[in-house]
Amino acid sequence: MRLFDAQHKEDGLDVIGVGVLDNDPLALRMFRALLHDRAGIDLRWLVSSPAVAVQSCMSAATRPDVLVVDMALEGISGTSVCAKVKNLAPSVRVIGVTAYRTSVYLDDARESGMEAVVSKTRLNDLLACILDEGAVHGEPQRENTGSRPVAVGRLTLSSRELEVLRCFSRGLNSSETMARLDIGRSTLASYEHRAVAKLGAHNRTEAVALCMRDHLLP
């Protein structure tokens, strides 16, 4: 089990604790590269053993907010792991990942309580699902009517994140944005960090530019 120093705060910001279960060493390295030091995310552990992952979700000391699990593990399915985790630690959000077609797993994923199945070729979708603000704050999940229960693309930005970027696009600085939206500095920074991460941008300027390009900031 590869453990990382737990950090539930980054410079005063709330972050999302993530655990990863995959029996492919190359995939674990890929997830480490994707999630380690990512704004808004605290990579708690990477494991190849389903038993260790379930045990880690049960313990308050190692329990992640989000479990990322491969759908096809050796000797057990990702949905079986999800069902066990949701039974023992229902607060943990579970996101499945697969190198195969996501449509194969959708019915079983929904039944097990998994909130999304994401292709390993679409890692930006995985980041968007992990950073989904509604799920983080315990709001009801959106009903999925498409072919796969995945939040994709830039429309996963919350209304509050868009408001923050809209203020920046109009030339307001941080203090002016806080006053306009009646929020504190840490809250503003949290919205900014999450928006930048979801967009795959390097900073707020690039995030604003991407939103303006896609006409998300009227």
Side-chain angles (χ1 to χ4, degrees):
M1 178 174 180
R2 300 189 62 182
L3 285 169
F4 298 87
D5 291 335
Q7 280 290 335
H8 292 291
K9 294 281 186 179
E10 283 182 358
D11 298 327
L13 305 179
D14 291 328
V15 296
I16 299 169
V18 177
V20 178
L21 167 62
D22 198 308
N23 58 6
D24 182 350
L26 291 177
L28 289 179
R29 286 198 287 271
M30 175 187 71
F31 288 124
R32 187 186 190 284
L34 176 71
L35 301 173
H36 192 51
D37 292 330
R38 174 74 61 167
I41 291 176
D42 168 23
L43 180 59
R44 304 294 306 280
W45 41 262
L46 297 160
V47 300
S48 58
S49 165
V52 172
V54 172
Q55 186 65 38
S56 298
C57 288
M58 291 174 59
S59 171
T62 53
R63 182 182 302 133
D65 301 303
V66 177
L67 171 64
V68 176
V69 56
D70 186 35
M71 298 300 292
L73 299 160
E74 186 175 352
I76 189 172
S77 68
T79 52
S80 294
V81 173
C82 176
K84 289 182 179 180
V85 168
K86 298 300 285 186
N87 182 53
L88 298 169
S91 66
V92 176
R93 298 165 51 213
V94 183
I95 299 171
V97 291
T98 180
Y100 306 101
R101 289 188 298 125
T102 57
S103 59
V104 173
Y105 299 103
L106 293 189
D107 290 341
D108 289 342
R110 292 190 183 101
E111 186 174 343
S112 71
M114 197 173 286
E115 74 174 44
V117 181
V118 183
S119 171
K120 289 182 179 180
T121 65
R122 300 178 63 94
L123 294 180
N124 281 339
D125 290 358
L126 176 60
L127 287 173
C129 288
I130 291 173
L131 293 164
D132 183 70
E133 190 170 74
V136 170
H137 293 291
E139 297 172 10
Q141 296 179 20
R142 294 183 295 275
E143 181 177 358
N144 296 296
T145 57
S147 61
R148 57 197 176 111
V150 174
V152 298
R154 298 188 176 92
L155 293 181
T156 56
L157 288 173
S158 71
S159 59
R160 209 58 164 157
E161 289 161 355
L162 284 171
E163 286 177 351
V164 166
L165 293 182
R166 185 178 297 115
C167 288
F168 292 152
S169 73
R170 294 175 179 175
L172 275 64
N173 61 29
S174 294
S175 296
E176 292 167 334
T177 299
M178 287 187 291
R180 173 73 63 88
L181 302 180
D182 192 26
I183 57 177
R185 186 171 299 278
S186 63
T187 300
L188 172 65
S190 181
Y191 287 137
E192 179 184 341
H193 273 63
R194 287 176 179 167
V196 168
K198 288 180 182 181
L199 290 163
H202 293 92
N203 50 48
R204 72 163 67 164
T205 301
E206 184 178 355
V208 168
L210 290 170
C211 284
M212 293 181 70
R213 183 194 68 185
D214 291 351
H215 308 290
L216 298 179
L217 299 175

PDB file of all heavy atoms in Angstrom, residues 28-54:
ATOM      1  N   LEU A  28      -1.494   2.384 -11.814  1.00  0.00           N
ATOM      2  CA  LEU A  28      -1.264   3.090 -10.555  1.00  0.00           C
ATOM      3  C   LEU A  28      -0.284   4.236 -10.743  1.00  0.00           C
ATOM      4  O   LEU A  28      -0.458   5.321 -10.167  1.00  0.00           O
ATOM      5  CB  LEU A  28      -0.748   2.122  -9.492  1.00  0.00           C
ATOM      6  CG  LEU A  28      -1.759   1.108  -8.944  1.00  0.00           C
ATOM      7  CD1 LEU A  28      -1.100   0.193  -7.926  1.00  0.00           C
ATOM      8  CD2 LEU A  28      -2.967   1.813  -8.340  1.00  0.00           C
ATOM      9  N   ARG A  29       0.745   4.027 -11.539  1.00  0.00           N
ATOM     10  CA  ARG A  29       1.699   5.115 -11.815  1.00  0.00           C
ATOM     11  C   ARG A  29       1.020   6.244 -12.585  1.00  0.00           C
ATOM     12  O   ARG A  29       1.297   7.421 -12.348  1.00  0.00           O
ATOM     13  CB  ARG A  29       2.907   4.575 -12.576  1.00  0.00           C
ATOM     14  CG  ARG A  29       3.858   3.758 -11.710  1.00  0.00           C
ATOM     15  CD  ARG A  29       5.227   3.621 -12.349  1.00  0.00           C
ATOM     16  NE  ARG A  29       5.220   2.720 -13.488  1.00  0.00           N
ATOM     17  CZ  ARG A  29       5.429   1.416 -13.388  1.00  0.00           C
ATOM     18  NH1 ARG A  29       5.654   0.851 -12.213  1.00  0.00           N
ATOM     19  NH2 ARG A  29       5.427   0.663 -14.469  1.00  0.00           N
ATOM     20  N   MET A  30       0.138   5.870 -13.502  1.00  0.00           N
ATOM     21  CA  MET A  30      -0.599   6.873 -14.255  1.00  0.00           C
ATOM     22  C   MET A  30      -1.480   7.717 -13.336  1.00  0.00           C
ATOM     23  O   MET A  30      -1.507   8.946 -13.430  1.00  0.00           O
ATOM     24  CB  MET A  30      -1.471   6.191 -15.313  1.00  0.00           C
ATOM     25  CG  MET A  30      -2.381   7.133 -16.090  1.00  0.00           C
ATOM     26  SD  MET A  30      -3.520   6.225 -17.177  1.00  0.00           S
ATOM     27  CE  MET A  30      -4.646   5.490 -15.958  1.00  0.00           C
ATOM     28  N   PHE A  31      -2.184   7.055 -12.413  1.00  0.00           N
ATOM     29  CA  PHE A  31      -3.049   7.783 -11.495  1.00  0.00           C
ATOM     30  C   PHE A  31      -2.228   8.654 -10.539  1.00  0.00           C
ATOM     31  O   PHE A  31      -2.664   9.760 -10.179  1.00  0.00           O
ATOM     32  CB  PHE A  31      -3.934   6.820 -10.716  1.00  0.00           C
ATOM     33  CG  PHE A  31      -5.018   6.198 -11.543  1.00  0.00           C
ATOM     34  CD1 PHE A  31      -5.133   4.822 -11.629  1.00  0.00           C
ATOM     35  CD2 PHE A  31      -5.909   6.986 -12.248  1.00  0.00           C
ATOM     36  CE1 PHE A  31      -6.124   4.240 -12.399  1.00  0.00           C
ATOM     37  CE2 PHE A  31      -6.913   6.420 -13.016  1.00  0.00           C
ATOM     38  CZ  PHE A  31      -7.016   5.038 -13.095  1.00  0.00           C
ATOM     39  N   ARG A  32      -1.085   8.153 -10.131  1.00  0.00           N
ATOM     40  CA  ARG A  32      -0.236   8.970  -9.266  1.00  0.00           C
ATOM     41  C   ARG A  32       0.202  10.245  -9.986  1.00  0.00           C
ATOM     42  O   ARG A  32       0.160  11.340  -9.420  1.00  0.00           O
ATOM     43  CB  ARG A  32       1.001   8.188  -8.812  1.00  0.00           C
ATOM     44  CG  ARG A  32       1.827   8.954  -7.780  1.00  0.00           C
ATOM     45  CD  ARG A  32       3.127   8.245  -7.436  1.00  0.00           C
ATOM     46  NE  ARG A  32       3.776   8.852  -6.301  1.00  0.00           N
ATOM     47  CZ  ARG A  32       4.446  10.002  -6.338  1.00  0.00           C
ATOM     48  NH1 ARG A  32       4.555  10.665  -7.473  1.00  0.00           N
ATOM     49  NH2 ARG A  32       5.002  10.499  -5.239  1.00  0.00           N
ATOM     50  N   ALA A  33       0.600  10.103 -11.239  1.00  0.00           N
ATOM     51  CA  ALA A  33       1.015  11.275 -12.013  1.00  0.00           C
ATOM     52  C   ALA A  33      -0.140  12.248 -12.208  1.00  0.00           C
ATOM     53  O   ALA A  33       0.047  13.466 -12.188  1.00  0.00           O
ATOM     54  CB  ALA A  33       1.575  10.840 -13.367  1.00  0.00           C
ATOM     55  N   LEU A  34      -1.348  11.709 -12.369  1.00  0.00           N
ATOM     56  CA  LEU A  34      -2.516  12.552 -12.608  1.00  0.00           C
ATOM     57  C   LEU A  34      -2.978  13.290 -11.357  1.00  0.00           C
ATOM     58  O   LEU A  34      -3.337  14.468 -11.413  1.00  0.00           O
ATOM     59  CB  LEU A  34      -3.673  11.688 -13.136  1.00  0.00           C
ATOM     60  CG  LEU A  34      -5.019  12.401 -13.344  1.00  0.00           C
ATOM     61  CD1 LEU A  34      -4.943  13.336 -14.543  1.00  0.00           C
ATOM     62  CD2 LEU A  34      -6.131  11.373 -13.521  1.00  0.00           C
ATOM     63  N   LEU A  35      -2.949  12.608 -10.218  1.00  0.00           N
ATOM     64  CA  LEU A  35      -3.604  13.125  -9.014  1.00  0.00           C
ATOM     65  C   LEU A  35      -2.662  13.731  -7.986  1.00  0.00           C
ATOM     66  O   LEU A  35      -3.072  14.593  -7.196  1.00  0.00           O
ATOM     67  CB  LEU A  35      -4.409  12.006  -8.350  1.00  0.00           C
ATOM     68  CG  LEU A  35      -5.503  11.360  -9.220  1.00  0.00           C
ATOM     69  CD1 LEU A  35      -6.102  10.159  -8.504  1.00  0.00           C
ATOM     70  CD2 LEU A  35      -6.575  12.374  -9.575  1.00  0.00           C
ATOM     71  N   HIS A  36      -1.403  13.297  -7.957  1.00  0.00           N
ATOM     72  CA  HIS A  36      -0.487  13.808  -6.939  1.00  0.00           C
ATOM     73  C   HIS A  36      -0.164  15.270  -7.212  1.00  0.00           C
ATOM     74  O   HIS A  36       0.158  15.651  -8.332  1.00  0.00           O
ATOM     75  CB  HIS A  36       0.788  12.977  -6.926  1.00  0.00           C
ATOM     76  CG  HIS A  36       1.666  13.239  -5.736  1.00  0.00           C
ATOM     77  ND1 HIS A  36       1.193  13.217  -4.450  1.00  0.00           N
ATOM     78  CD2 HIS A  36       2.988  13.536  -5.648  1.00  0.00           C
ATOM     79  CE1 HIS A  36       2.167  13.475  -3.620  1.00  0.00           C
ATOM     80  NE2 HIS A  36       3.264  13.673  -4.306  1.00  0.00           N
ATOM     81  N   ASP A  37      -0.272  16.098  -6.180  1.00  0.00           N
ATOM     82  CA  ASP A  37       0.004  17.539  -6.277  1.00  0.00           C
ATOM     83  C   ASP A  37      -0.997  18.276  -7.164  1.00  0.00           C
ATOM     84  O   ASP A  37      -0.730  19.403  -7.613  1.00  0.00           O
ATOM     85  CB  ASP A  37       1.430  17.810  -6.806  1.00  0.00           C
ATOM     86  CG  ASP A  37       2.501  17.382  -5.815  1.00  0.00           C
ATOM     87  OD1 ASP A  37       2.216  17.422  -4.599  1.00  0.00           O
ATOM     88  OD2 ASP A  37       3.594  17.011  -6.247  1.00  0.00           O
ATOM     89  N   ARG A  38      -2.157  17.675  -7.425  1.00  0.00           N
ATOM     90  CA  ARG A  38      -3.208  18.335  -8.202  1.00  0.00           C
ATOM     91  C   ARG A  38      -4.007  19.249  -7.278  1.00  0.00           C
ATOM     92  O   ARG A  38      -4.388  18.865  -6.183  1.00  0.00           O
ATOM     93  CB  ARG A  38      -4.125  17.290  -8.824  1.00  0.00           C
ATOM     94  CG  ARG A  38      -5.343  17.820  -9.536  1.00  0.00           C
ATOM     95  CD  ARG A  38      -5.020  18.447 -10.860  1.00  0.00           C
ATOM     96  NE  ARG A  38      -4.404  17.512 -11.787  1.00  0.00           N
ATOM     97  CZ  ARG A  38      -4.262  17.743 -13.088  1.00  0.00           C
ATOM     98  NH1 ARG A  38      -4.684  18.892 -13.598  1.00  0.00           N
ATOM     99  NH2 ARG A  38      -3.688  16.865 -13.872  1.00  0.00           N
ATOM    100  N   ALA A  39      -4.242  20.478  -7.709  1.00  0.00           N
ATOM    101  CA  ALA A  39      -4.982  21.434  -6.888  1.00  0.00           C
ATOM    102  C   ALA A  39      -6.362  20.882  -6.540  1.00  0.00           C
ATOM    103  O   ALA A  39      -7.078  20.370  -7.398  1.00  0.00           O
ATOM    104  CB  ALA A  39      -5.124  22.761  -7.635  1.00  0.00           C
ATOM    105  N   GLY A  40      -6.715  20.973  -5.255  1.00  0.00           N
ATOM    106  CA  GLY A  40      -8.025  20.546  -4.798  1.00  0.00           C
ATOM    107  C   GLY A  40      -8.124  19.064  -4.479  1.00  0.00           C
ATOM    108  O   GLY A  40      -9.176  18.593  -4.046  1.00  0.00           O
ATOM    109  N   ILE A  41      -7.038  18.307  -4.709  1.00  0.00           N
ATOM    110  CA  ILE A  41      -7.062  16.861  -4.496  1.00  0.00           C
ATOM    111  C   ILE A  41      -5.937  16.449  -3.553  1.00  0.00           C
ATOM    112  O   ILE A  41      -4.804  16.894  -3.698  1.00  0.00           O
ATOM    113  CB  ILE A  41      -6.933  16.105  -5.829  1.00  0.00           C
ATOM    114  CG1 ILE A  41      -8.203  16.310  -6.675  1.00  0.00           C
ATOM    115  CG2 ILE A  41      -6.699  14.612  -5.611  1.00  0.00           C
ATOM    116  CD1 ILE A  41      -8.137  15.686  -8.044  1.00  0.00           C
ATOM    117  N   ASP A  42      -6.268  15.594  -2.591  1.00  0.00           N
ATOM    118  CA  ASP A  42      -5.300  15.006  -1.668  1.00  0.00           C
ATOM    119  C   ASP A  42      -5.252  13.509  -1.949  1.00  0.00           C
ATOM    120  O   ASP A  42      -6.161  12.771  -1.576  1.00  0.00           O
ATOM    121  CB  ASP A  42      -5.744  15.285  -0.231  1.00  0.00           C
ATOM    122  CG  ASP A  42      -4.969  14.457   0.794  1.00  0.00           C
ATOM    123  OD1 ASP A  42      -3.849  14.015   0.470  1.00  0.00           O
ATOM    124  OD2 ASP A  42      -5.494  14.263   1.907  1.00  0.00           O
ATOM    125  N   LEU A  43      -4.230  13.048  -2.668  1.00  0.00           N
ATOM    126  CA  LEU A  43      -4.092  11.636  -2.965  1.00  0.00           C
ATOM    127  C   LEU A  43      -3.670  10.911  -1.699  1.00  0.00           C
ATOM    128  O   LEU A  43      -2.537  11.037  -1.248  1.00  0.00           O
ATOM    129  CB  LEU A  43      -3.068  11.423  -4.088  1.00  0.00           C
ATOM    130  CG  LEU A  43      -2.826   9.967  -4.512  1.00  0.00           C
ATOM    131  CD1 LEU A  43      -4.115   9.318  -4.989  1.00  0.00           C
ATOM    132  CD2 LEU A  43      -1.743   9.903  -5.596  1.00  0.00           C
ATOM    133  N   ARG A  44      -4.593  10.131  -1.114  1.00  0.00           N
ATOM    134  CA  ARG A  44      -4.348   9.482   0.169  1.00  0.00           C
ATOM    135  C   ARG A  44      -3.546   8.195   0.019  1.00  0.00           C
ATOM    136  O   ARG A  44      -2.629   7.939   0.775  1.00  0.00           O
ATOM    137  CB  ARG A  44      -5.674   9.165   0.864  1.00  0.00           C
ATOM    138  CG  ARG A  44      -6.590  10.357   1.080  1.00  0.00           C
ATOM    139  CD  ARG A  44      -5.997  11.366   2.052  1.00  0.00           C
ATOM    140  NE  ARG A  44      -5.609  10.778   3.316  1.00  0.00           N
ATOM    141  CZ  ARG A  44      -6.449  10.490   4.308  1.00  0.00           C
ATOM    142  NH1 ARG A  44      -7.741  10.736   4.174  1.00  0.00           N
ATOM    143  NH2 ARG A  44      -6.005   9.973   5.432  1.00  0.00           N
ATOM    144  N   TRP A  45      -3.939   7.354  -0.957  1.00  0.00           N
ATOM    145  CA  TRP A  45      -3.237   6.081  -1.132  1.00  0.00           C
ATOM    146  C   TRP A  45      -3.513   5.489  -2.505  1.00  0.00           C
ATOM    147  O   TRP A  45      -4.497   5.816  -3.165  1.00  0.00           O
ATOM    148  CB  TRP A  45      -3.589   5.075  -0.041  1.00  0.00           C
ATOM    149  CG  TRP A  45      -5.034   5.006   0.392  1.00  0.00           C
ATOM    150  CD1 TRP A  45      -5.587   5.614   1.486  1.00  0.00           C
ATOM    151  CD2 TRP A  45      -6.107   4.285  -0.243  1.00  0.00           C
ATOM    152  NE1 TRP A  45      -6.925   5.324   1.580  1.00  0.00           N
ATOM    153  CE2 TRP A  45      -7.270   4.509   0.532  1.00  0.00           C
ATOM    154  CE3 TRP A  45      -6.204   3.483  -1.366  1.00  0.00           C
ATOM    155  CZ2 TRP A  45      -8.514   3.958   0.205  1.00  0.00           C
ATOM    156  CZ3 TRP A  45      -7.436   2.939  -1.708  1.00  0.00           C
ATOM    157  CH2 TRP A  45      -8.563   3.177  -0.921  1.00  0.00           C
ATOM    158  N   LEU A  46      -2.588   4.602  -2.907  1.00  0.00           N
ATOM    159  CA  LEU A  46      -2.702   3.808  -4.125  1.00  0.00           C
ATOM    160  C   LEU A  46      -2.507   2.346  -3.732  1.00  0.00           C
ATOM    161  O   LEU A  46      -1.494   2.010  -3.112  1.00  0.00           O
ATOM    162  CB  LEU A  46      -1.625   4.192  -5.145  1.00  0.00           C
ATOM    163  CG  LEU A  46      -1.637   5.610  -5.700  1.00  0.00           C
ATOM    164  CD1 LEU A  46      -0.272   5.945  -6.278  1.00  0.00           C
ATOM    165  CD2 LEU A  46      -2.705   5.736  -6.778  1.00  0.00           C
ATOM    166  N   VAL A  47      -3.459   1.467  -4.042  1.00  0.00           N
ATOM    167  CA  VAL A  47      -3.334   0.064  -3.655  1.00  0.00           C
ATOM    168  C   VAL A  47      -3.737  -0.844  -4.814  1.00  0.00           C
ATOM    169  O   VAL A  47      -4.484  -0.449  -5.706  1.00  0.00           O
ATOM    170  CB  VAL A  47      -4.199  -0.268  -2.418  1.00  0.00           C
ATOM    171  CG1 VAL A  47      -3.785   0.580  -1.224  1.00  0.00           C
ATOM    172  CG2 VAL A  47      -5.676  -0.084  -2.726  1.00  0.00           C
ATOM    173  N   SER A  48      -3.232  -2.085  -4.764  1.00  0.00           N
ATOM    174  CA  SER A  48      -3.601  -3.082  -5.762  1.00  0.00           C
ATOM    175  C   SER A  48      -4.490  -4.176  -5.166  1.00  0.00           C
ATOM    176  O   SER A  48      -5.005  -5.014  -5.905  1.00  0.00           O
ATOM    177  CB  SER A  48      -2.336  -3.730  -6.352  1.00  0.00           C
ATOM    178  OG  SER A  48      -1.551  -4.325  -5.333  1.00  0.00           O
ATOM    179  N   SER A  49      -4.682  -4.158  -3.850  1.00  0.00           N
ATOM    180  CA  SER A  49      -5.466  -5.183  -3.163  1.00  0.00           C
ATOM    181  C   SER A  49      -6.871  -4.667  -2.825  1.00  0.00           C
ATOM    182  O   SER A  49      -7.016  -3.684  -2.097  1.00  0.00           O
ATOM    183  CB  SER A  49      -4.766  -5.602  -1.867  1.00  0.00           C
ATOM    184  OG  SER A  49      -5.646  -6.318  -1.032  1.00  0.00           O
ATOM    185  N   PRO A  50      -7.922  -5.339  -3.321  1.00  0.00           N
ATOM    186  CA  PRO A  50      -9.283  -4.935  -2.963  1.00  0.00           C
ATOM    187  C   PRO A  50      -9.534  -4.967  -1.452  1.00  0.00           C
ATOM    188  O   PRO A  50     -10.197  -4.085  -0.913  1.00  0.00           O
ATOM    189  CB  PRO A  50     -10.156  -5.960  -3.700  1.00  0.00           C
ATOM    190  CG  PRO A  50      -9.328  -6.382  -4.871  1.00  0.00           C
ATOM    191  CD  PRO A  50      -7.921  -6.405  -4.346  1.00  0.00           C
ATOM    192  N   ALA A  51      -8.990  -5.969  -0.772  1.00  0.00           N
ATOM    193  CA  ALA A  51      -9.193  -6.082   0.672  1.00  0.00           C
ATOM    194  C   ALA A  51      -8.593  -4.886   1.402  1.00  0.00           C
ATOM    195  O   ALA A  51      -9.186  -4.344   2.342  1.00  0.00           O
ATOM    196  CB  ALA A  51      -8.588  -7.381   1.190  1.00  0.00           C
ATOM    197  N   VAL A  52      -7.399  -4.474   0.976  1.00  0.00           N
ATOM    198  CA  VAL A  52      -6.747  -3.321   1.599  1.00  0.00           C
ATOM    199  C   VAL A  52      -7.547  -2.051   1.324  1.00  0.00           C
ATOM    200  O   VAL A  52      -7.701  -1.196   2.200  1.00  0.00           O
ATOM    201  CB  VAL A  52      -5.303  -3.179   1.087  1.00  0.00           C
ATOM    202  CG1 VAL A  52      -4.687  -1.870   1.579  1.00  0.00           C
ATOM    203  CG2 VAL A  52      -4.458  -4.356   1.545  1.00  0.00           C
ATOM    204  N   ALA A  53      -8.072  -1.921   0.111  1.00  0.00           N
ATOM    205  CA  ALA A  53      -8.859  -0.738  -0.224  1.00  0.00           C
ATOM    206  C   ALA A  53     -10.111  -0.650   0.633  1.00  0.00           C
ATOM    207  O   ALA A  53     -10.441   0.423   1.173  1.00  0.00           O
ATOM    208  CB  ALA A  53      -9.233  -0.765  -1.711  1.00  0.00           C
ATOM    209  N   VAL A  54     -10.823  -1.763   0.784  1.00  0.00           N
ATOM    210  CA  VAL A  54     -12.038  -1.769   1.597  1.00  0.00           C
ATOM    211  C   VAL A  54     -11.698  -1.451   3.047  1.00  0.00           C
ATOM    212  O   VAL A  54     -12.383  -0.643   3.704  1.00  0.00           O
ATOM    213  CB  VAL A  54     -12.755  -3.130   1.489  1.00  0.00           C
ATOM    214  CG1 VAL A  54     -13.911  -3.206   2.495  1.00  0.00           C
ATOM    215  CG2 VAL A  54     -13.267  -3.354   0.073  1.00  0.00           C
TER     216      VAL A  54
END
